[in-house]
Amino acid sequence: MLQTLVLDLLLTLAYGVVGIALMGVGYGLVDLATPGRLNQLIWNERNRNAALLLASNVLSVGTIVVAAIVASEDNFLVGLTGAALYGFLGLVIMAAAFLLLDLATPGRLGEILVDPEPHPAVWVTAAVHLAAGAIIAAAIS
């Protein structure tokens, strides 16, 4: 019983490490897409637009990782590999969606999203991130 608990804790730790690593990559991608430093925009300048964009990215990655874990059918290696690969694929798709949305909208989307005044474009971008994450999560079988 104790061995099972220890093993389950280690497996959970491994999934957590993969999830956090993917969220770190997502953070880096959002940081690249927005002018300025994301940590300064959110924590020092309290920019709501940048915070919402990052939050939607993190929630999307989390949704994908959860779906990969659930779909793994208690096969740790399949679950961990799936979480990493599907999570990375989700980040690629979210980045592509961001670039397409940027092309379809006036101005530079990255600049609009870091404007200190709330902007409706950030809600659209956040919805695109969440939808992309949901699509990837639903595609995992």
Side-chain angles (χ1 to χ4, degrees):
M1 179 100 138
L2 184 60
Q3 288 177 334
T4 302
L5 176 62
V6 171
L7 179 60
D8 286 348
L9 289 171
L10 290 173
L11 297 178
T12 301
L13 177 63
Y15 280 119
V17 167
V18 167
I20 289 170
L22 287 167
M23 286 186 276
V25 172
Y27 180 97
L29 289 173
V30 173
D31 198 24
L32 284 174
T34 55
R37 301 296 307 162
L38 196 55
N39 63 347
Q40 294 292 322
L41 289 166
I42 295 173
W43 282 272
N44 293 345
E45 298 175 25
R46 299 175 182 247
N47 185 300
R48 293 179 191 144
N49 292 332
L52 181 57
L53 179 64
L54 180 60
S56 68
N57 185 284
V58 168
L59 287 168
S60 295
V61 169
T63 300
I64 294 166
V65 170
V66 167
I69 293 169
V70 170
S72 70
E73 298 178 7
D74 294 329
N75 184 324
F76 171 68
L77 189 56
V78 169
L80 194 64
T81 304
L85 295 176
Y86 283 116
F88 184 75
L89 178 62
L91 288 169
V92 168
I93 289 173
M94 283 186 277
F98 181 90
L99 294 173
L100 288 172
L101 188 60
D102 190 25
L103 289 173
T105 57
R108 300 289 309 158
L109 190 54
E111 292 172 8
I112 292 169
L113 296 175
V114 298
D115 189 310
E117 292 297 316
H119 197 288
V122 74
W123 290 96
V124 174
T125 307
V128 167
H129 276 154
L130 293 171
I135 290 166
I136 298 298
I140 298 172
S141 56

